[in-house]
Coordinates of all heavy atoms in Angstrom, one line a residue:
M1 N -4.0 16.1 5.5 CA -3.8 14.7 5.2 C -4.7 14.2 4.1 O -5.8 14.7 4.0 CB -4.1 13.9 6.5 CG -3.4 12.6 6.6 SD -1.6 12.7 6.6 CE -1.3 13.9 7.9
S2 N -4.1 13.3 3.3 CA -4.9 12.8 2.2 C -5.0 11.3 2.3 O -4.3 10.7 3.1 CB -4.2 13.1 0.8 OG -4.1 14.5 0.7
E3 N -5.9 10.7 1.5 CA -6.1 9.3 1.5 C -6.1 8.8 0.0 O -6.7 9.4 -0.8 CB -7.4 8.9 2.2 CG -7.6 7.4 2.4 CD -8.8 7.2 3.3 OE1 -8.7 7.2 4.5 OE2 -9.9 7.0 2.7
V4 N -5.5 7.6 -0.2 CA -5.5 7.0 -1.5 C -5.7 5.5 -1.4 O -5.3 4.9 -0.4 CB -4.2 7.3 -2.3 CG1 -3.0 6.7 -1.7 CG2 -4.3 6.9 -3.8
T5 N -6.4 4.9 -2.3 CA -6.5 3.5 -2.4 C -5.6 2.9 -3.5 O -5.6 3.4 -4.6 CB -8.0 3.0 -2.7 OG1 -8.8 3.5 -1.7 CG2 -8.1 1.5 -2.7
I6 N -4.7 2.0 -3.1 CA -3.8 1.4 -4.0 C -4.1 -0.1 -4.2 O -4.3 -0.8 -3.3 CB -2.3 1.5 -3.4 CG1 -1.9 3.0 -3.3 CG2 -1.3 0.7 -4.3 CD1 -0.6 3.1 -2.6
K7 N -4.3 -0.4 -5.5 CA -4.5 -1.8 -5.9 C -3.3 -2.6 -5.6 O -2.2 -2.2 -6.0 CB -4.9 -1.9 -7.3 CG -5.1 -3.2 -7.9 CD -6.4 -3.8 -7.6 CE -6.6 -5.2 -8.2 NZ -7.8 -5.9 -7.6
I8 N -3.4 -3.8 -5.0 CA -2.2 -4.7 -4.7 C -2.6 -6.1 -5.2 O -3.6 -6.7 -4.7 CB -1.9 -4.7 -3.2 CG1 -1.6 -3.2 -2.8 CG2 -0.7 -5.6 -3.0 CD1 -1.3 -3.1 -1.3
E9 N -1.7 -6.6 -6.0 CA -1.9 -8.0 -6.5 C -0.8 -8.9 -5.9 O 0.3 -8.5 -5.7 CB -1.8 -8.1 -8.0 CG -3.0 -7.3 -8.7 CD -2.9 -7.3 -10.2 OE1 -1.8 -7.6 -10.7 OE2 -3.9 -6.9 -10.8
G10 N -1.2 -10.1 -5.6 CA -0.2 -11.1 -5.2 C -0.2 -11.4 -3.7 O 0.6 -12.3 -3.3
M11 N -1.1 -10.8 -2.9 CA -1.2 -11.2 -1.5 C -2.0 -12.4 -1.4 O -3.1 -12.5 -1.9 CB -1.8 -10.0 -0.7 CG -1.0 -8.7 -0.7 SD -1.7 -7.5 0.5 CE -3.3 -7.2 -0.2
S12 N -1.4 -13.4 -0.6 CA -2.2 -14.7 -0.5 C -2.4 -15.1 1.0 O -3.1 -16.0 1.2 CB -1.4 -15.8 -1.2 OG 0.0 -15.8 -0.8
C13 N -1.9 -14.3 1.9 CA -2.3 -14.6 3.3 C -2.1 -13.4 4.2 O -1.6 -12.4 3.7 CB -1.4 -15.8 3.8 SG 0.3 -15.4 4.3
N14 N -2.4 -13.5 5.5 CA -2.3 -12.4 6.4 C -0.9 -12.0 6.7 O -0.6 -10.9 7.1 CB -3.1 -12.6 7.6 CG -4.6 -12.5 7.4 OD1 -5.0 -11.5 6.8 ND2 -5.4 -13.4 7.8
G15 N 0.1 -12.9 6.4 CA 1.5 -12.5 6.5 C 1.8 -11.5 5.4 O 2.5 -10.5 5.7
C16 N 1.3 -11.7 4.3 CA 1.5 -10.7 3.2 C 0.9 -9.4 3.6 O 1.5 -8.3 3.3 CB 0.8 -11.2 1.9 SG 1.4 -12.8 1.3
V17 N -0.3 -9.4 4.1 CA -1.0 -8.2 4.6 C -0.1 -7.5 5.6 O 0.1 -6.2 5.5 CB -2.4 -8.5 5.2 CG1 -2.9 -7.3 5.9 CG2 -3.3 -9.1 4.2
R18 N 0.5 -8.2 6.5 CA 1.4 -7.6 7.5 C 2.6 -7.0 6.8 O 3.0 -5.9 7.2 CB 1.8 -8.6 8.5 CG 2.4 -8.1 9.8 CD 2.7 -9.1 10.8 NE 1.5 -10.0 11.1 CZ 1.4 -11.3 10.8 NH1 2.5 -11.9 10.3 NH2 0.3 -12.0 11.0
N19 N 3.2 -7.7 5.9 CA 4.4 -7.2 5.2 C 4.1 -5.9 4.4 O 4.9 -5.0 4.4 CB 4.9 -8.3 4.3 CG 5.5 -9.5 5.1 OD1 5.8 -9.4 6.2 ND2 5.6 -10.6 4.4
V20 N 3.0 -5.9 3.7 CA 2.6 -4.7 2.9 C 2.3 -3.5 3.9 O 2.8 -2.4 3.6 CB 1.4 -5.0 2.0 CG1 0.9 -3.7 1.4 CG2 1.8 -6.0 1.0
T21 N 1.6 -3.8 5.0 CA 1.3 -2.8 5.9 C 2.6 -2.2 6.5 O 2.7 -0.9 6.5 CB 0.4 -3.3 7.1 OG1 -0.8 -3.9 6.5 CG2 0.1 -2.2 8.1
K22 N 3.5 -3.0 6.9 CA 4.8 -2.5 7.4 C 5.6 -1.7 6.4 O 6.2 -0.7 6.7 CB 5.6 -3.7 8.0 CG 5.1 -4.2 9.3 CD 5.6 -5.6 9.7 CE 7.2 -5.6 9.7 NZ 7.6 -7.0 10.1
A23 N 5.6 -2.2 5.1 CA 6.3 -1.5 4.1 C 5.8 -0.1 3.9 O 6.5 0.8 3.7 CB 6.3 -2.3 2.8
L24 N 4.5 0.0 3.9 CA 3.8 1.3 3.6 C 4.0 2.2 4.8 O 4.4 3.4 4.7 CB 2.3 1.1 3.3 CG 2.0 0.5 2.0 CD1 0.6 0.1 1.9 CD2 2.4 1.5 0.8
E25 N 3.8 1.7 6.0 CA 3.9 2.5 7.2 C 5.3 2.9 7.5 O 5.5 3.9 8.3 CB 3.2 1.8 8.4 CG 1.7 1.7 8.2 CD 0.9 1.2 9.4 OE1 1.6 0.5 10.3 OE2 -0.3 1.4 9.5
A26 N 6.3 2.3 7.0 CA 7.7 2.7 7.2 C 8.1 3.9 6.3 O 9.1 4.5 6.6 CB 8.6 1.5 6.8
L27 N 7.2 4.3 5.4 CA 7.6 5.4 4.5 C 7.4 6.7 5.2 O 6.3 6.9 5.7 CB 6.7 5.3 3.2 CG 6.9 4.1 2.4 CD1 5.8 4.0 1.3 CD2 8.3 4.0 1.7
P28 N 8.4 7.6 5.1 CA 8.1 9.0 5.6 C 7.0 9.6 4.9 O 6.9 9.6 3.6 CB 9.5 9.7 5.3 CG 10.5 8.6 5.1 CD 9.7 7.4 4.6
G29 N 6.1 10.2 5.6 CA 4.9 10.8 5.0 C 3.6 10.0 5.1 O 2.6 10.5 4.9
V30 N 3.8 8.7 5.3 CA 2.6 7.8 5.5 C 2.3 7.7 7.0 O 3.1 7.5 7.8 CB 2.9 6.4 4.9 CG1 1.8 5.4 5.4 CG2 3.0 6.4 3.4
T31 N 1.0 8.0 7.3 CA 0.6 8.0 8.7 C -0.2 6.8 9.1 O -0.4 6.6 10.2 CB -0.1 9.3 9.0 OG1 -1.2 9.5 8.1 CG2 0.8 10.5 8.8
G32 N -0.7 6.1 8.0 CA -1.5 4.9 8.3 C -1.8 4.1 7.1 O -1.9 4.7 6.0
A33 N -1.9 2.8 7.2 CA -2.3 2.0 6.1 C -3.1 0.8 6.5 O -2.8 0.1 7.5 CB -1.0 1.5 5.4
K34 N -4.3 0.7 5.8 CA -5.2 -0.4 6.1 C -5.2 -1.3 4.9 O -5.7 -0.9 3.8 CB -6.6 0.1 6.4 CG -7.6 -0.9 6.7 CD -7.5 -1.4 8.2 CE -8.6 -2.4 8.5 NZ -8.3 -3.7 7.9
V35 N -4.7 -2.5 5.0 CA -4.5 -3.4 3.9 C -5.6 -4.5 3.9 O -5.8 -5.1 5.0 CB -3.1 -4.0 3.8 CG1 -2.9 -4.9 2.6 CG2 -2.0 -2.9 3.8
S36 N -6.2 -4.7 2.8 CA -7.3 -5.8 2.7 C -6.8 -6.9 1.8 O -6.6 -6.7 0.6 CB -8.6 -5.2 2.2 OG -9.5 -6.2 1.9
L37 N -6.8 -8.1 2.4 CA -6.5 -9.3 1.5 C -7.6 -9.5 0.6 O -7.4 -9.8 -0.6 CB -6.3 -10.5 2.5 CG -6.0 -11.8 1.9 CD1 -4.7 -11.8 1.1 CD2 -5.9 -12.9 3.0
E38 N -8.9 -9.5 1.1 CA -10.0 -9.8 0.3 C -10.2 -8.9 -0.9 O -10.6 -9.2 -2.0 CB -11.3 -9.8 1.1 CG -11.3 -10.9 2.2 CD -10.4 -10.7 3.4 OE1 -10.0 -9.5 3.6 OE2 -10.2 -11.6 4.2
Q39 N -10.0 -7.6 -0.6 CA -10.2 -6.6 -1.6 C -9.0 -6.2 -2.4 O -9.0 -5.4 -3.4 CB -10.8 -5.3 -1.0 CG -12.1 -5.5 -0.3 CD -12.7 -4.2 0.2 OE1 -13.1 -3.3 -0.5 NE2 -12.8 -4.1 1.6
A40 N -7.8 -6.9 -2.1 CA -6.6 -6.7 -2.8 C -6.2 -5.2 -2.9 O -5.9 -4.7 -4.1 CB -6.6 -7.4 -4.1
C41 N -6.3 -4.5 -1.8 CA -5.9 -3.1 -1.9 C -5.4 -2.6 -0.5 O -5.5 -3.3 0.5 CB -7.1 -2.3 -2.3 SG -8.4 -2.1 -1.1
A42 N -4.9 -1.4 -0.6 CA -4.5 -0.7 0.6 C -5.1 0.7 0.6 O -5.0 1.4 -0.4 CB -2.9 -0.6 0.7
V43 N -5.6 1.1 1.7 CA -6.1 2.5 1.9 C -5.1 3.2 2.8 O -4.9 2.8 3.9 CB -7.5 2.5 2.5 CG1 -8.0 4.0 2.7 CG2 -8.5 1.8 1.7
V44 N -4.4 4.2 2.2 CA -3.3 4.8 2.9 C -3.6 6.3 3.2 O -4.0 7.0 2.3 CB -2.0 4.7 1.9 CG1 -0.8 5.3 2.6 CG2 -1.8 3.3 1.5
Q45 N -3.3 6.6 4.4 CA -3.3 8.0 4.8 C -1.9 8.6 4.8 O -1.0 8.0 5.2 CB -3.9 8.2 6.3 CG -5.4 7.9 6.4 CD -5.7 6.5 6.5 OE1 -5.0 5.7 7.1 NE2 -6.9 6.1 5.9
Y46 N -1.8 9.8 4.2 CA -0.5 10.3 4.0 C -0.5 11.8 3.9 O -1.6 12.5 3.7 CB 0.1 9.7 2.7 CG -0.6 10.2 1.4 CD1 0.0 11.1 0.6 CD2 -1.8 9.6 1.0 CE1 -0.7 11.5 -0.6 CE2 -2.4 10.0 -0.1 CZ -1.9 11.0 -0.9 OH -2.5 11.4 -2.1
D47 N 0.7 12.4 4.0 CA 0.9 13.8 3.9 C 1.3 14.1 2.4 O 2.4 13.7 2.0 CB 2.0 14.3 4.9 CG 2.3 15.8 4.7 OD1 1.7 16.5 3.8 OD2 3.2 16.3 5.5
P48 N 0.5 14.7 1.6 CA 0.8 14.9 0.2 C 2.0 15.8 0.0 O 2.6 15.8 -1.1 CB -0.5 15.5 -0.4 CG -1.2 16.1 0.8 CD -0.8 15.3 2.0
A49 N 2.4 16.6 1.0 CA 3.6 17.4 0.9 C 4.9 16.6 1.0 O 6.0 17.0 0.7 CB 3.6 18.5 1.9
A50 N 4.8 15.3 1.6 CA 5.9 14.5 1.9 C 6.1 13.3 1.0 O 7.2 12.8 0.9 CB 5.8 14.1 3.3
I51 N 5.0 12.8 0.4 CA 5.1 11.6 -0.4 C 4.0 11.6 -1.4 O 3.0 12.2 -1.3 CB 5.0 10.4 0.5 CG1 5.4 9.1 -0.2 CG2 3.6 10.2 1.2 CD1 5.6 7.9 0.7
D52 N 4.2 10.8 -2.5 CA 3.1 10.7 -3.5 C 2.9 9.2 -3.8 O 3.7 8.3 -3.3 CB 3.4 11.4 -4.8 CG 4.6 11.0 -5.5 OD1 5.0 9.8 -5.4 OD2 5.2 11.8 -6.2
E53 N 1.9 8.9 -4.5 CA 1.4 7.5 -4.7 C 2.4 6.7 -5.4 O 2.5 5.5 -5.1 CB 0.1 7.6 -5.5 CG -0.5 6.2 -5.7 CD -1.8 6.2 -6.5 OE1 -2.4 7.3 -6.7 OE2 -2.2 5.2 -7.0
A54 N 3.2 7.2 -6.3 CA 4.2 6.4 -7.0 C 5.2 5.8 -6.1 O 5.7 4.7 -6.2 CB 4.9 7.3 -8.1
V55 N 5.6 6.6 -5.0 CA 6.6 6.1 -4.0 C 6.0 4.9 -3.2 O 6.6 3.9 -3.0 CB 7.0 7.2 -3.1 CG1 8.0 6.7 -2.0 CG2 7.7 8.3 -3.9
M56 N 4.7 5.1 -2.9 CA 4.0 4.0 -2.2 C 3.9 2.7 -3.0 O 4.1 1.6 -2.5 CB 2.6 4.4 -1.8 CG 2.5 5.7 -1.0 SD 0.8 6.2 -0.8 CE 1.0 7.9 -0.5
R57 N 3.6 2.9 -4.3 CA 3.5 1.7 -5.2 C 4.8 1.1 -5.3 O 4.9 -0.2 -5.4 CB 2.9 2.1 -6.5 CG 1.4 2.6 -6.4 CD 0.8 3.0 -7.7 NE 1.2 2.2 -8.8 CZ 2.0 2.6 -9.8 NH1 2.5 3.9 -9.8 NH2 2.4 1.8 -10.7
Q58 N 5.9 1.9 -5.4 CA 7.2 1.3 -5.5 C 7.6 0.5 -4.3 O 8.2 -0.6 -4.4 CB 8.2 2.4 -5.8 CG 9.7 1.8 -6.0 CD 9.7 1.0 -7.3 OE1 9.3 1.4 -8.4 NE2 10.2 -0.3 -7.1
A59 N 7.2 1.0 -3.1 CA 7.5 0.3 -1.9 C 6.7 -1.1 -1.8 O 7.3 -2.1 -1.3 CB 7.1 1.1 -0.7
V60 N 5.5 -1.1 -2.3 CA 4.8 -2.4 -2.4 C 5.5 -3.3 -3.4 O 5.6 -4.5 -3.1 CB 3.3 -2.1 -2.9 CG1 2.6 -3.4 -3.1 CG2 2.6 -1.3 -1.8
E61 N 5.9 -2.8 -4.5 CA 6.6 -3.7 -5.4 C 7.9 -4.2 -4.8 O 8.3 -5.4 -5.0 CB 6.9 -2.9 -6.7 CG 5.7 -2.3 -7.4 CD 5.3 -3.1 -8.6 OE1 6.1 -3.9 -9.1 OE2 4.2 -2.8 -9.2
D62 N 8.6 -3.3 -4.1 CA 9.9 -3.7 -3.5 C 9.7 -4.8 -2.4 O 10.6 -5.6 -2.1 CB 10.6 -2.5 -2.8 CG 11.2 -1.6 -3.9 OD1 11.2 -1.9 -5.1 OD2 11.5 -0.4 -3.5
A63 N 8.5 -4.8 -1.9 CA 8.1 -5.9 -0.9 C 7.7 -7.2 -1.5 O 7.5 -8.2 -0.8 CB 7.0 -5.4 0.0
G64 N 7.7 -7.2 -2.9 CA 7.4 -8.4 -3.6 C 6.0 -8.6 -4.1 O 5.7 -9.7 -4.6
F65 N 5.3 -7.5 -4.2 CA 3.9 -7.6 -4.7 C 3.8 -6.7 -6.0 O 4.7 -6.0 -6.3 CB 2.9 -7.2 -3.6 CG 3.1 -8.1 -2.4 CD1 3.9 -7.7 -1.4 CD2 2.4 -9.3 -2.3 CE1 4.1 -8.5 -0.3 CE2 2.6 -10.1 -1.2 CZ 3.4 -9.7 -0.2
D66 N 2.6 -6.8 -6.6 CA 2.4 -5.9 -7.8 C 1.4 -4.8 -7.4 O 0.4 -5.1 -6.7 CB 1.8 -6.7 -8.9 CG 2.9 -7.7 -9.5 OD1 4.0 -7.2 -9.6 OD2 2.5 -8.8 -9.9
A67 N 1.7 -3.6 -7.8 CA 0.8 -2.5 -7.5 C 0.5 -1.8 -8.8 O 1.1 -0.7 -9.1 CB 1.5 -1.6 -6.5
P68 N -0.4 -2.3 -9.6 CA -0.7 -1.7 -10.9 C -1.4 -0.4 -10.8 O -2.2 -0.2 -9.8 CB -1.5 -2.8 -11.6 CG -2.2 -3.5 -10.5 CD -1.1 -3.6 -9.4
L69 N -1.3 0.5 -11.7 CA -1.9 1.8 -11.7 C -3.4 1.7 -11.8 O -4.2 2.4 -11.2 CB -1.3 2.7 -12.8 CG -0.3 3.7 -12.3 CD1 0.2 4.5 -13.5 CD2 -0.8 4.6 -11.2
D70 N -3.9 0.8 -12.7 CA -5.3 0.7 -13.0 C -6.1 0.1 -11.8 O -5.7 -0.9 -11.2 CB -5.5 -0.2 -14.2 CG -4.9 -1.6 -14.1 OD1 -3.7 -1.6 -13.8 OD2 -5.5 -2.6 -14.3
L71 N -7.1 0.7 -11.4 CA -7.9 0.3 -10.3 C -9.1 -0.6 -10.8 O -9.9 -0.1 -11.6 CB -8.4 1.4 -9.4 CG -7.5 1.8 -8.2 CD1 -8.1 3.0 -7.5 CD2 -7.4 0.6 -7.3
Ligands
9UX1 MO1 1.9 -15.8 3.4 MO2 2.9 -13.6 1.9 O1 2.5 -17.6 3.8 O2 4.4 -12.5 1.6 S1 3.4 -14.1 4.0 S2 2.3 -15.8 1.3

């Protein structure tokens, strides 16, 4: 299992945090996601054989937020 921190812009309340968490945890290969409103990021546990960071970032974007590559 691997872990990555993804920068997330545009979250303004805990509803956003919930939405991002659900979007990430719905992805095959993601086993857990801890999203921080204050730190504007998500720490994601995942199986690197099943998913990569680009797919996670796209899921965050599809949920209506920005996930820029630069940390
Ligand atoms: Mo809060 Mo976020 O009212 O998608 S849920 S702004």
Side-chain angles (χ1 to χ4, degrees):
M1 206 58 53
S2 297
E3 186 173 276
V4 66
T5 300
I6 297 175
K7 174 82 180 166
I8 301 173
E9 294 176 346
M11 295 190 294
S12 52
C13 77
N14 282 311
C16 300
V17 171
R18 194 174 311 116
N19 292 338
V20 171
T21 302
K22 282 163 60 179
L24 287 169
E25 290 186 340
L27 297 171
V30 169
T31 56
K34 181 82 179 72
V35 180
S36 169
L37 179 63
E38 294 78 10
Q39 298 185 66
C41 70
V43 180
V44 184
Q45 285 82 37
Y46 67 102
D47 176 0
I51 192 169
D52 62 30
E53 183 182 345
V55 176
M56 301 174 205
R57 291 178 40 250
Q58 184 62 54
V60 171
E61 302 256 350
D62 289 347
F65 304 90
D66 290 320
L69 260 181
D70 54 306
L71 266 177

